[in-house]
Amino acid sequence: MPDALDYVRQEVAIANRILANEGIIDAFGHISMRHPTNPNRYFISRHRAAELVEPDDVLECDLDSKPVQPTSLRLYSEMVIHGEVFKARPDVNSVCHHHAPSVLPFCATGVELVPLFHLGGTLGMKVPFWDSRDEFGDTSLLVRTPEEGASMARALGPHVMVLLRRHGATLVGKSVRECVFRSIYTTRNAELQLRAMAIGTPQPLSPGETEKSGGHNLGSRGVERAWEYWTIRLMKAEAMWAAAGLPRMKGLAEAARPAAAGLPSAKPGVSRQRTSAKPKARKRR
Amino acid sequence: MPDALDYVRQEVAIANRILANEGIIDAFGHISMRHPTNPNRYFISRHRAAELVEPDDVLECDLDSKPVQPTSLRLYSEMVIHGEVFKARPDVNSVCHHHAPSVLPFCATGVELVPLFHLGGTLGMKVPFWDSRDEFGDTSLLVRTPEEGASMARALGPHVMVLLRRHGATLVGKSVRECVFRSIYTTRNAELQLRAMAIGTPQPLSPGETEKSGGHNLGSRGVERAWEYWTIRLMKAEAMWAAAGLPRMKGLAEAARPAAAGLPSAKPGVSRQRTSAKPKARKRR
Amino acid sequence: MPDALDYVRQEVAIANRILANEGIIDAFGHISMRHPTNPNRYFISRHRAAELVEPDDVLECDLDSKPVQPTSLRLYSEMVIHGEVFKARPDVNSVCHHHAPSVLPFCATGVELVPLFHLGGTLGMKVPFWDSRDEFGDTSLLVRTPEEGASMARALGPHVMVLLRRHGATLVGKSVRECVFRSIYTTRNAELQLRAMAIGTPQPLSPGETEKSGGHNLGSRGVERAWEYWTIRLMKAEAMWAAAGLPRMKGLAEAARPAAAGLPSAKPGVSRQRTSAKPKARKRR
Amino acid sequence: MPDALDYVRQEVAIANRILANEGIIDAFGHISMRHPTNPNRYFISRHRAAELVEPDDVLECDLDSKPVQPTSLRLYSEMVIHGEVFKARPDVNSVCHHHAPSVLPFCATGVELVPLFHLGGTLGMKVPFWDSRDEFGDTSLLVRTPEEGASMARALGPHVMVLLRRHGATLVGKSVRECVFRSIYTTRNAELQLRAMAIGTPQPLSPGETEKSGGHNLGSRGVERAWEYWTIRLMKAEAMWAAAGLPRMKGLAEAARPAAAGLPSAKPGVSRQRTSAKPKARKRR
């Protein structure tokens, strides 16, 4: 069924680049998709910035977050976020993890994120917190072990979004497109909450309004309209590649290394900075 | 009189794309225009993001918001906003509905929006609120029934802008260009009010200043100067399409579906995500 | 001396477009230059948005703000801002008037703008306020009469910047480039002050620091370095015109009217919206 | 060893342009690199805006910040920032000095910058302040003498970042890429702190979390992933040059002067504004 999986890789690649183009993900963060016919597998990019992900970068993994095909490619260190949520939540077909600037202040302060406008209804009734300190003490804050991933998934529980203290957010969706939609509009809601709290007391949606507006906005009409919009915005942002007579992004990304970054790995002694006469760099504090 | 209506469709399409290009409308929101010679009709785009609207997308409707020509195209779910305001306000020839980020904090808190600089005079003496809860209880917050539309129009009353609690804004104008001008500069005024409230007590324009500055700025000189500016900015933003050798936007939008979004509808069982072995997705909260 | 004045028109056009490209001026606002050899004349664009100004748009005026050559072109309604400052301040060779978003909160609240970093030293020791209400009562807030212009110039006094309550800012420079530099970095200082006041008590530069840093930054080294930077950024922003195979901006601006704005003036009865069967539009409040 | 130094000049040029493209540096600010084999030398651009730096602009200097090859080119007035830090910190191979908008509020108020998310761990345990007033009284705030540079380096001490009161920030790295990474993510952390303080009490990373997250993020995996991302974003931003059929940036920068800035130095009496009949411009306050 190669055509079907080509579509899956394409969908994951576009979703990553949309989230980059709309300001949700920068160099770090990722979105995955469960296999359309085998619920024990999911697709995610190899280790690279979302803005650069091409279909060929997308790998198939099992729910322990191991690639199905052996690979020498680097993988994200936080893949367990995806695998453990897919294990815990059979209703979920897509997982996004990001550190959008307007969501981080809630992670830093513990202030609750609440729905403040109809499109914010997509964050659901409650956005729980997860704090890695509670079970794991001092860590790098990244979610790197299956135990950490499972703990975060428990904090997510039956909800659609969880805030990771001092770190970022994890969101889920019934489809990649729903997950993208939720990632973008919960971030807009966070931005709204930041600004509303600065001038007064924001009054959140009622439970009934949250359910109805969330349900309406996540209907296929709304999601498809927004997806068309984000896709075309992405095409515009990428059109300059063609205009400049450059090869496709993937080719360019590879080509960029020697040309722009210039690290000639074949030149020992120059390929990394050395100050050999000096004491070794102190361990970072 | 086909030429005249070509112009109308062009005007509505450009107005939508200007509002997108200036950051007032994202995937959701729209602007309409009353028929230039038949006051019982108006023009509005079919269901799609404002940034993508082309003249061919623009449909003619009656004031009950029914298309004059039968169509299988999807329509906006909030068309009654336009139809009911056109019914209630014969002096109005254009209606805009949006959820601009700097206006939403006022919708979330109930803080009054007041004119703080000469171009903010375009918001008039008072910007009333409308709360869907008052008459309709828990809804999706969208304005979808004629009754909801008429209720919102009553809240607008003789004013030029109404804020919809937990939702967005509706504005009117004597022409499409005036409505665009008002939509942009009332949003700039909202931004100013947010920032001014953070450092002190903003002192609003007096009633006399509001009337005089609003009137001056909405004279044809100011509106035409700004329209020229926004139109050329839009042309710049769209110039990359031509530079990249791509077809016109409309063609591209259609073409984008299979190429970029890739949903091969002819492939049953793959065209939507299925996880058939699992319980059906829980109803969204 | 045609070559010299060609240069002047070019300098004024580029300055306008730089200020637009750097976010200081939108559809409204302008910068002028005193005649290099006749101090009783100055140069300013005809009535159009700064982003669109071409050398051919730049007119020569006397200090009463009357064009030296009779013209049928529309002129800015606030030209007296320039003429009256040039009269009052023989040391000034360039005047800028703008409504940058980070300066407006100070105009709305009356909070004093103070220098908070070395580049903010360009705002000088004190930024006075001018309130049109004091002498003229309720106006449109625009500075349209010689008396209003002269009053504003008196408020400016020996300073380099004056804030117009509920309106915007007027700044001066010994040259166009100094005036552009000051307009940009005082706006950055205003932005800094807004953000600093949100987290603590900003401590301004001492008088000695203000004088020394202002003097250093406005030396030709700093101004020329920044001018090169802003000019090339402008060229980048305009490069897409060429890329898209479009004519130069001026030609485009003219061409844009029928193509993009589409108002076919030759079609009476359609060229403006009419709703002839309805009561005339109410006078705007 | 010409190839190796070509690489160094390329690395410094790209680093400058990345920092400009990501919004850390505008017309002012710079990043340097220690010579890869001679620790008593470093590389830095001649006097120009970071966005415009090409490899040919990069000069080799000794640690007293004197160019190794005599040159008539203008140099940055704050080169001692680099030379004095390289003297004091043999573990450091790259120094960045900038005035990013989100860092300046801390410089203006003296509020401490603390790590609030995993990527903010790159700012280390403590970010000290340096105040030029303490030793030097009223200055232009710039760091221009060896004594000022050495004083700032002492304030930096064993840390990785120091905030200069009323001025900006200086940061260090073991490599250019680490220094770029730290410059960008400490700025994002500053932005987060500004926003978090507006809604509640931000809780910083623990010392253990700071060490672990900082160490993890500055490993080669993270730095190289981000570097690839920033490099390709830069290539996108610069692609329009090629699209527009323009020469390479360097050539353009030179070409820009007469064409865009238009100062015909060969025309005495017009090449600078003169108002000879008037009193000399007052000394700037």
Side-chain angles (χ1 to χ4, degrees), chain A residues 225, chain B residues 9 12-13 16 29-33 42-61 73-77 79 82:
Chain A
R225 171 166 153 198
Chain B
R9 290 191 173 87
V12 171
N16 270 282
H30 18 75
I31 184 168
S32 64
M33 174 175 166
Y42 73 95
F43 291 85
I44 192 168
S45 170
R46 67 182 176 100
H47 180 265
R48 76 183 326 187
E51 181 168 324
L52 312 180
V53 173
E54 294 281 346
D56 285 355
D57 295 319
V58 178
L59 304 170
E60 185 176 346
C61 300
L73 295 173
R74 280 185 175 171
L75 307 177
Y76 293 128
S77 60
M79 285 175 65
H82 302 265

Side-chain angles (χ1 to χ4, degrees), chain C residues 12-206:
Chain C
V12 171
I14 296 287
N16 270 282
R17 277 146 58 195
I18 284 175
L19 289 170
N21 197 46
E22 300 298 329
I24 310 299
I25 296 184
D26 65 350
F28 300 98
H30 18 75
I31 185 169
S32 64
M33 173 175 168
R34 195 192 291 266
H35 193 296
T37 55
N38 180 349
N40 296 315
R41 301 276 171 82
Y42 73 94
F43 290 85
I44 193 168
S45 170
R46 67 182 175 99
H47 179 264
R48 76 184 323 189
E51 183 168 323
L52 312 181
V53 174
E54 295 280 347
D56 285 355
D57 295 319
V58 176
L59 304 170
E60 185 176 346
C61 300
D62 62 28
L63 297 195
D64 290 328
S65 298
K66 304 299 177 205
V68 170
Q69 305 289 339
T71 177
S72 61
L73 294 172
R74 279 185 176 172
L75 306 177
Y76 294 128
S77 60
E78 297 192 303
M79 286 174 66
V80 293
I81 287 177
H82 302 265
E84 298 303 319
V85 170
F86 284 130
K87 281 184 193 169
R89 289 282 297 270
D91 61 313
V92 160
N93 291 309
S94 181
V95 177
C96 176
H97 173 61
H98 71 73
H99 325 101
S102 29
V103 168
L104 287 174
F106 298 89
C107 304
T109 58
V111 170
E112 287 221 26
L113 188 60
V114 294
L116 291 183
F117 79 132
H118 60 305
L119 288 156
T122 54
L123 59 72
M125 294 297 187
K126 180 180 175 59
V127 179
F129 285 101
W130 178 70
D131 192 328
S132 53
R133 270 185 209 164
D134 294 342
E135 288 184 51
F136 305 97
D138 278 354
T139 68
S140 70
L141 292 167
L142 301 192
V143 183
R144 292 198 284 179
T145 67
E147 293 72 25
E148 290 168 340
S151 170
M152 187 210 71
R154 283 193 300 275
L156 172 66
H159 304 289
V160 292
M161 181 175 187
V162 57
L163 292 179
L164 287 56
R165 294 301 307 271
R166 304 175 302 290
H167 179 173
T170 299
L171 302 98
V172 301
K174 292 196 299 292
S175 69
V176 167
R177 294 177 188 198
E178 179 181 298
C179 193
V180 166
F181 191 99
R182 175 171 284 129
S183 297
I184 291 175
Y185 279 110
T186 51
T187 299
R188 304 288 181 253
N189 189 90
E191 180 72 28
L192 165 55
Q193 188 169 342
L194 291 173
R195 306 186 92 184
M197 290 177 72
I199 60 164
T201 305
Q203 290 133 25
L205 272 56
S206 70

Side-chain angles (χ1 to χ4, degrees), chain D residues 80-114:
Chain D
V80 292
I81 288 177
H82 302 265
E84 297 302 319
V85 170
F86 284 129
K87 280 183 195 169
R89 289 284 296 272
D91 61 312
V92 161
N93 291 309
S94 182
V95 177
C96 176
H97 173 61
H98 70 73
H99 324 102
S102 30
V103 169
L104 287 174
F106 298 89
C107 304
T109 57
V111 170
E112 286 220 28
L113 189 60
V114 295

